[in-house]
Amino acid sequence: MLHTTPLITTIATALGLALVLGFLSVRLKLPALVGYLLAGVLIGPFTPGFVANTAIAGELAEIGVMLLMFGVGLHFSLDDLLEVRKIALPGAALQIIVATALGGGVAITWGWSLGAALVFGLALSVASTVVLLRALEANGTLASLNGRIAMGWLIVEDLVMVLVLVLLPPLAGVLGGEVPGNQGGNIWQVLGMTVLKVTAFIALMLMIGRRVFPALLWQVASTGSRELFTLCVVAAAVSIAYASSALFGVSFALGAFFAGMVMRESEFSHRAAEESLPLREAFSVLFFVSVGMLFNPLVLIERPMQVLAVVGIIVVGKSLAAAALVLVFHYPLKTALTVSASLAQIGEFSFILAGLGVSLKLLPVEGQNLILAGALISIALNPLVFAGIKPLQSWIESRSKLNRMLAQRTDPLAELPMATPERYLSGQVVLVGYGRVGHHIGEKLAERDIPYVIAEQNRETVERLRAKGMPAVSGDCSDPTVLIQAHIAKASMLVITTSNTFTVRQIIQTARMLNPGIELAMRLHDEKEADLLQNEGAGKVFFAEDELATGMSRHVLERYGKSS
């Protein structure tokens, strides 16, 4: 009976064992995904006992990847991508080159061929968007600037890997492998067609999809049927992902991401994200289980030093390279640490690339096993790497010499221009954050000719504001030097539009230290924290839901002539 129902057997055993081991992992103060990975190892083909269907588990994992990336797209707009393009594009490209060189260099010392070294290095250079998404959501930083930079960085990596997967077969002969019979031809022609297909897909989704799919979602929502709405969301995610792969050669993950991004234009995007969340969570567990099933534990015994070298490149080498690149672009230390932690793992593209390398006789089977070992260990370690961001940042900041070196005070955007008028340097409002809320407040201040200085973490935003002649400084305002450059000591008021509780507290402490009499106003999404800050006398606290309810109540009362 077990053999006649492989799908049910695989799902039942995978989810059941993942539940048990995930629960035990949490009890032991470990991330739940460690339990999911171990569940995959136990039902995989390399350990005794029951063996689940690897092919079916892999396909279920692909569905999980589609749904997860669709969810990312629902929260990630085109504007978010464009905001971080100046760091994500060059940063991802340079980081891939550095990580490939590290991995390839180690492989050559092991006596591997140039082709094997290239495939091995590329496989170690690309992180998993699924793992990153889970980490950012767990840390509450998905919607932050640092989260957007990390996601934009990985989207660029995914696009590069799409090109690599297409170009590798025709290049296999040159690199010492075997060229498949249908993969010959001019390399420039293959590259041109690939770029054309990817460009056509992105253009189609942004130009047509942004109109068609939100309209479709609205039509289905108008029926009032919850199950039809959920079906529409899931069908859109899976169908568009599949069609993008079949017609344009784009990966399932990338196709689903753009599907979610165009669906974001709909007024029902938040409902779509909520309705698809249970499925996304369940299938993401199957992704981690499928990763564990691919892992052969014997590699830890047979090649421990090589496994250690691979993990070192992924977790340490690649992360340090990414952090250095972010700091070179004059972004704050916290951003550098977040991006480096985001890239300290490898995932789905690495598996696909390793499998293709083996099939083309470029990569030895032992290379594939090492890549899988590095993936499993780095994924298991990633939550711990993220947990170490704050302690590491505190340690670096406590070393004044090192902190000054990393502060990048030579950055022209980190201080107000010398020509800034005096009215902006005394008695001004310091506006922290220039997103939608900050932009609206800034417009109201400008209408009434109230001078204000903007402190914003996004460098591209600061560059645009400077071009318009507006006083703005770039940096993380939890760093006292940023508020000092905004002349907080002589400011009359500080308005904090960022809603991160930890950051808000740090900004308040710095502002009070530099200007004890300054008036404070801030917004928060955490009701308990909002009440706590209000009771502590931190200033005027605006809780998002309360302000929304107040505004709507006022409108209703005005409608019935009951306003006072």
Side-chain angles (χ1 to χ4, degrees):
M1 184 67 180
L2 288 178
H3 295 292
T4 59
T5 57
L7 176 61
I8 296 174
T9 304
T10 301
I11 293 176
T13 53
L15 292 181
L17 194 57
L19 173 63
V20 173
L21 294 180
F23 175 78
L24 290 175
S25 296
V26 172
R27 284 294 188 185
L28 294 171
K29 307 298 182 183
L30 294 171
L33 66 84
V34 173
Y36 307 155
L37 292 167
L38 288 176
V41 173
L42 291 178
I43 63 175
F46 302 105
T47 52
F50 171 75
V51 177
N53 190 306
T54 308
I56 288 178
E59 290 197 26
L60 291 172
E62 285 284 11
I63 296 175
V65 171
M66 293 180 200
L67 293 174
L68 279 168
M69 291 306 296
F70 180 76
V72 175
L74 283 171
H75 295 93
F76 208 88
S77 69
L78 179 62
D79 291 338
D80 292 333
L81 275 175
L82 293 177
E83 268 189 6
V84 300
R85 69 189 186 281
K86 289 187 178 180
I87 183 173
L89 282 170
L94 290 171
Q95 177 260 312
I96 288 174
I97 292 171
V98 172
T100 302
L102 287 172
V106 170
I108 287 174
T109 64
W110 295 338
W112 293 7
S113 67
L114 180 62
L118 178 63
V119 173
F120 187 72
L122 284 168
L124 300 187
S125 72
V126 58
S128 167
T129 42
V130 176
V131 176
L132 172 63
L133 172 62
R134 292 294 295 269
L136 292 176
E137 286 182 333
N139 288 275
T141 54
L142 180 60
S144 68
L145 174 64
N146 293 339
R148 294 200 301 273
I149 289 174
M151 280 305 306
W153 193 297
L154 261 70
I155 294 301
V156 174
E157 283 192 352
D158 286 354
L159 286 169
V160 172
M161 286 303 122
V162 168
L163 293 176
V164 170
L165 291 173
V166 173
L167 293 174
L168 198 58
L171 282 172
V174 178
L175 297 172
E178 295 181 0
V179 181
N182 62 341
Q183 293 291 325
N186 187 293
I187 187 66
W188 295 111
Q189 184 179 357
V190 174
L191 176 61
M193 285 301 297
T194 302
V195 173
L196 185 63
K197 284 183 178 181
V198 172
T199 303
F201 166 72
I202 295 174
L204 186 68
M205 293 300 290
L206 296 181
M207 294 173 64
I208 299 176
R210 293 176 84 177
R211 294 178 176 85
V212 173
F213 297 122
L216 173 65
L217 202 61
W218 187 89
Q219 290 292 336
V220 173
S222 66
T223 64
S225 171
R226 181 175 179 179
E227 59 268 27
L228 268 181
F229 184 86
T230 304
L231 177 61
C232 177
V233 172
V234 175
V238 177
S239 301
I240 296 172
Y242 175 77
S244 65
S245 177
L247 299 177
F248 298 97
V250 176
S251 68
F252 290 139
L254 201 62
F257 170 77
F258 276 99
M261 203 166 72
V262 297
M263 281 288 194
R264 190 180 188 274
E265 304 295 322
S266 169
E267 59 186 297
F268 299 102
S269 61
H270 291 291
R271 181 183 167 189
E274 291 175 4
E275 297 285 354
S276 61
L277 182 61
L279 275 174
R280 283 189 278 141
E281 293 289 346
F283 276 99
S284 70
V285 171
L286 290 174
F287 167 77
F288 292 110
V289 173
S290 71
V291 172
M293 290 176 65
L294 294 171
F295 177 61
N296 184 356
L298 285 177
V299 74
L300 299 176
I301 300 171
E302 296 172 351
R303 304 180 183 278
M305 298 309 295
Q306 289 180 315
V307 171
L308 191 61
V310 170
V311 174
I313 290 170
I314 297 169
V315 178
V316 180
K318 188 169 66 164
S319 298
L320 287 176
L325 287 169
V326 174
L327 291 172
V328 166
F329 282 100
H330 300 295
Y331 274 84
L333 175 63
K334 186 176 181 181
T335 301
L337 294 176
T338 301
V339 172
S340 64
S342 302
L343 301 174
Q345 41 81 16
I346 59 173
E348 55 274 12
F349 265 113
S350 303
F351 311 147
I352 297 169
L353 189 57
L356 180 61
V358 171
S359 68
L360 295 173
K361 301 293 190 294
L362 282 172
L363 185 71
V365 175
E366 66 179 277
Q368 185 178 33
N369 290 332
L370 288 172
I371 289 168
L372 292 171
L376 188 141
I377 295 171
S378 65
I379 288 172
L381 290 176
N382 199 241
L384 302 179
V385 174
F386 264 94
I389 289 177
K390 288 180 182 178
L392 180 58
Q393 183 180 358
S394 299
W395 181 85
I396 292 174
E397 289 175 348
S398 68
R399 269 65 181 173
S400 57
K401 184 177 179 180
L402 180 59
N403 190 40
R404 283 197 302 271
M405 182 181 70
L406 294 176
Q408 301 286 349
R409 288 302 99 193
T410 56
D411 179 10
L413 296 182
E415 56 185 25
L416 288 177
M418 295 294 292
T420 302
E422 183 64 31
R423 66 191 297 260
Y424 293 102
L425 306 179
S426 180
Q428 83 283 13
V429 174
V430 174
L431 182 58
V432 174
Y434 203 69
R436 282 177 295 181
V437 176
H439 184 267
H440 182 73
I441 294 172
E443 286 184 336
K444 296 298 181 183
L445 292 174
E447 286 175 5
R448 290 156 179 79
D449 198 31
I450 298 174
Y452 65 98
V453 174
I454 301 159
E456 166 62 45
Q457 195 172 353
N458 191 315
R459 292 177 54 79
E460 282 72 27
T461 300
V462 174
E463 286 177 350
R464 289 198 302 271
L465 293 171
R466 291 277 186 95
K468 296 177 182 178
M470 299 171 67
V473 293
S474 170
D476 184 351
C477 287
S478 60
D479 179 357
T481 56
V482 177
L483 290 180
I484 290 172
Q485 292 300 329
H487 290 253
I488 191 72
K490 295 184 178 180
S492 60
M493 189 173 188
L494 175 65
V495 180
I496 308 171
T497 67
T498 179
S499 58
N500 183 286
T501 303
F502 179 75
T503 303
V504 168
R505 280 195 169 276
Q506 286 186 315
I507 294 172
I508 291 171
Q509 291 172 3
T510 302
R512 290 289 194 211
M513 178 180 66
L514 297 172
N515 187 344
I518 193 170
E519 187 177 350
L520 299 173
M522 67 214 72
R523 69 153 179 162
L524 288 171
H525 287 301
D526 187 321
E527 186 173 8
K528 291 182 179 179
E529 190 65 27
D531 291 339
L532 185 60
L533 284 173
Q534 190 78 68
N535 293 334
E536 291 175 358
K540 178 64 176 176
V541 180
F542 295 87
F543 177 57
E545 280 72 11
D546 280 352
E547 296 306 314
L548 178 62
T550 301
M552 294 181 71
S553 300
R554 187 185 304 115
H555 173 74
V556 174
L557 293 173
E558 288 175 353
R559 170 69 176 78
Y560 285 91
K562 301 292 185 179
S563 60
S564 56

